[in-house]
């Protein structure tokens, strides 16, 4: 390790210690996440600078850090996650800080952020080690691991906050939960989407696991050659989808068919954030000029790849919107049973 690498790691450690110290200081909002989001909003600005510099829009700001700190951020995937953190996460931090200062609930924003940040770390951290940049790991890389604890701690606090649900009469809840799936066109469409999305997730998982079927071979070479990129981020992303997103899609099918699944609105927001971050980074990287040409999306498959990946990200957001807009179907069954007893 060079002295420069030690310097970068030391500065990062000081920032990290300062973050954990701020968590335990008293605040006007009485919420330690207020300080966490303030510090993270600063790091989002740094990520924006990294992304803009690597794309050539600005220069002379982060060259030292990229060389001695985290050189893998120069990959297409690294640039994309920096853009996401600098725009989407930054906006979420400002929204949550504003809500805290106004004594309003930030629960929905927080759940979306948890899903987005967690997915980013699940792909980024192992991808740096198993990909072609595994031999260029610096000390600064290990400073990312404590940040894995922050989403877990934040999730416990955010999930424990009261849900901002509208007050509905028991008869309205009973009427909504008594409707079959054929009487709920939006839910029927979502069921169709999750069936297709589950099949697509399983298929791409088999592709990155080197399935020998002709359809898998043709897809990885003619449609999404980025899945073969030696940086390993796309392969890990598909495996995360296979082992985490696929079971969630199956649970969504159950939740849309059976009333009273109170967990649906919260987890719809979490997975909407997760899929949005993952698909933005994956699709953006497959089109980015930093991705070597043999692994970039072919021109002949451009529309199919873009439309399929965008649709894959839109579906979970439609579910989250449906859960927040009309949550009666997901209310506890006790409300419907209470109405039946009155009758």
């Amino acid at each position: 390790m060079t002295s420069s690498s030690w310097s970068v790691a030391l500065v990062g450690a000081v920032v990290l210690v300062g973050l954990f110290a701020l968590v335990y200081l008293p605040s006007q909002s009485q919420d330690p996440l207020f300080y966490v989001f303030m510090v993270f909003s600063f790091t989002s600005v740094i990520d924006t600078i990294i992304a803009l510099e690597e794309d050539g829009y600005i220069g002379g700001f982060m060259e030292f850090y990229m060389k001695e700190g985290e050189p893998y951020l120069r990959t297409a995937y690294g640039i994309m996650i920096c853009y996401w953190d600098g725009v989407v996460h930054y906006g979420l931090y400002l929204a949550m800080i504003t809500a805290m200062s106004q004594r309003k609930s930030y629960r929905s924003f927080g759940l979306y952020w948890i899903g987005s940040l967690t997915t980013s770390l699940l792909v980024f951290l192992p991808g740096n080690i198993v990909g072609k940049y595994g031999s260029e790991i610096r000390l600064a890389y290990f400073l990312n691991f404590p940040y894995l604890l922050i989403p877990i701690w934040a999730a416990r606090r955010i999930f424990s906050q009261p849900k901002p649900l509208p007050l509905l009469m028991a008869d309205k809840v009973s009427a909504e939960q008594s409707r079959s799936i054929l009487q709920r066109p939006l839910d029927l469409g979502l069921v169709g989407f999750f069936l297709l999305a589950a099949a697509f997730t399983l298929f791409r998982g088999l592709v990155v696991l080197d399935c020998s079927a002709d359809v898998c071979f043709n897809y990885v070479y003619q449609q999404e050659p980025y899945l073969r990129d030696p940086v390993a981020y796309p392969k890990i992303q598909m495996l995360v989808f296979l082992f985490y997103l696929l079971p969630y899609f199956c649970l969504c099918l159950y939740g849309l068919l059976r009333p009273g699944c109170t967990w649906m609105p919260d987890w719809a927001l979490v997975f909407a954030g997760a899929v949005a971050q993952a698909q933005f980074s994956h699709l953006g990287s497959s089109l980015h000029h930093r991705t070597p040409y043999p692994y970039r999306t072919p021109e002949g498959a451009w529309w199919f790849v873009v439309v399929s990946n965008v649709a894959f990200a839109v579906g979970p957001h439609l579910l989250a919107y449906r859960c927040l807009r009309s949550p009666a179907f997901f209310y506890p069954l006790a409300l419907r049973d209470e109405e039946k007893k009155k009758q």
Side-chain angles (χ1 to χ4, degrees), residues 48-299:
T48 304
I49 295 174
I50 291 174
L52 292 175
E53 183 167 325
E54 290 304 313
D55 270 344
Y57 296 107
I58 58 176
F61 292 95
M62 303 299 297
E63 181 65 27
F64 174 77
Y65 181 78
M66 299 301 288
K67 180 180 179 181
E68 302 294 340
E70 298 186 88
Y72 35 79
L73 288 176
R74 286 177 165 169
T75 63
Y77 185 85
I79 294 172
M80 287 297 106
I81 64 172
C82 285
Y83 274 126
W84 183 267
D85 189 51
V87 177
V88 178
H89 285 171
Y90 184 67
L92 290 172
Y93 295 141
L94 294 184
M96 290 186 285
I97 290 172
T98 301
M100 289 181 189
S101 64
Q102 297 177 356
R103 307 288 183 175
K104 295 181 179 179
S105 174
Y106 60 93
R107 196 173 188 275
S108 296
F109 291 123
L111 293 174
Y112 193 91
W113 167 75
I114 288 170
S116 176
L117 182 62
T118 302
T119 302
S120 176
L121 293 172
L122 284 176
V123 177
F124 180 66
L125 293 181
N128 297 333
I129 296 178
V130 302
K132 67 179 183 179
Y133 282 87
S135 60
E136 299 188 38
I137 297 297
R138 309 284 195 271
L139 282 174
Y141 168 78
F142 297 98
L143 295 174
N144 289 299
F145 282 92
Y147 286 96
L148 284 171
L149 302 176
I150 293 178
I152 298 174
W153 169 71
R156 290 185 60 186
R157 295 189 61 89
I158 293 173
F159 271 104
S160 64
Q161 295 178 5
K163 296 183 180 181
L165 294 175
L167 183 61
L168 299 177
M169 300 297 293
D171 56 345
K172 184 176 181 180
V173 174
S174 179
E176 179 67 21
Q177 295 183 351
S178 298
R179 298 168 63 192
S180 69
I181 186 66
L182 298 178
Q183 296 173 310
R184 293 177 280 124
L186 178 57
D187 290 355
L188 183 61
L190 287 172
V191 167
F193 165 80
F194 284 118
L195 287 172
L196 293 175
F200 189 49
T201 302
L202 178 61
F203 173 71
R204 291 203 293 184
L206 294 175
V207 167
V208 298
L209 290 174
D210 297 327
C211 175
S212 59
D214 290 342
V215 63
C216 295
F217 180 85
N218 293 334
Y219 184 83
V220 77
Y221 279 92
Q222 299 177 12
Q223 305 296 328
E224 284 197 82
Y226 178 61
L227 296 176
R228 299 186 293 112
D229 195 327
V231 294
Y233 299 120
K235 177 174 288 189
I236 295 176
Q237 184 66 78
M238 294 304 109
L239 292 178
V240 169
F241 280 171
L242 181 63
F243 293 115
Y244 294 95
L245 195 61
L246 181 58
Y248 168 71
F249 285 163
C250 296
L251 289 174
C252 285
L253 292 172
Y254 175 82
L256 288 169
L257 295 173
R258 182 176 178 81
C261 294
T262 57
W263 50 268
M264 279 281 284
D266 286 350
W267 287 103
L269 282 169
V270 172
F271 277 91
V275 175
Q277 188 282 330
Q279 286 300 99
F280 173 84
S281 302
H282 175 74
L283 181 60
S285 300
S286 69
L287 303 173
H288 198 272
H289 64 88
R290 283 288 177 89
T291 298
Y293 183 79
Y295 305 116
R296 225 176 292 166
T297 301
E299 292 184 4

Side-chain angles (χ1 to χ4, degrees), residues 334-343:
L335 290 176
R336 188 176 66 177
D337 295 339
E338 179 181 348
E339 180 65 19
K340 288 182 178 179
K341 290 180 181 178
K342 291 181 180 179
Q343 294 176 354

Side-chain angles (χ1 to χ4, degrees), residues 89 263 307 314 324 328:
H89 285 171
W263 50 268
V307 171
V314 169
L324 295 176

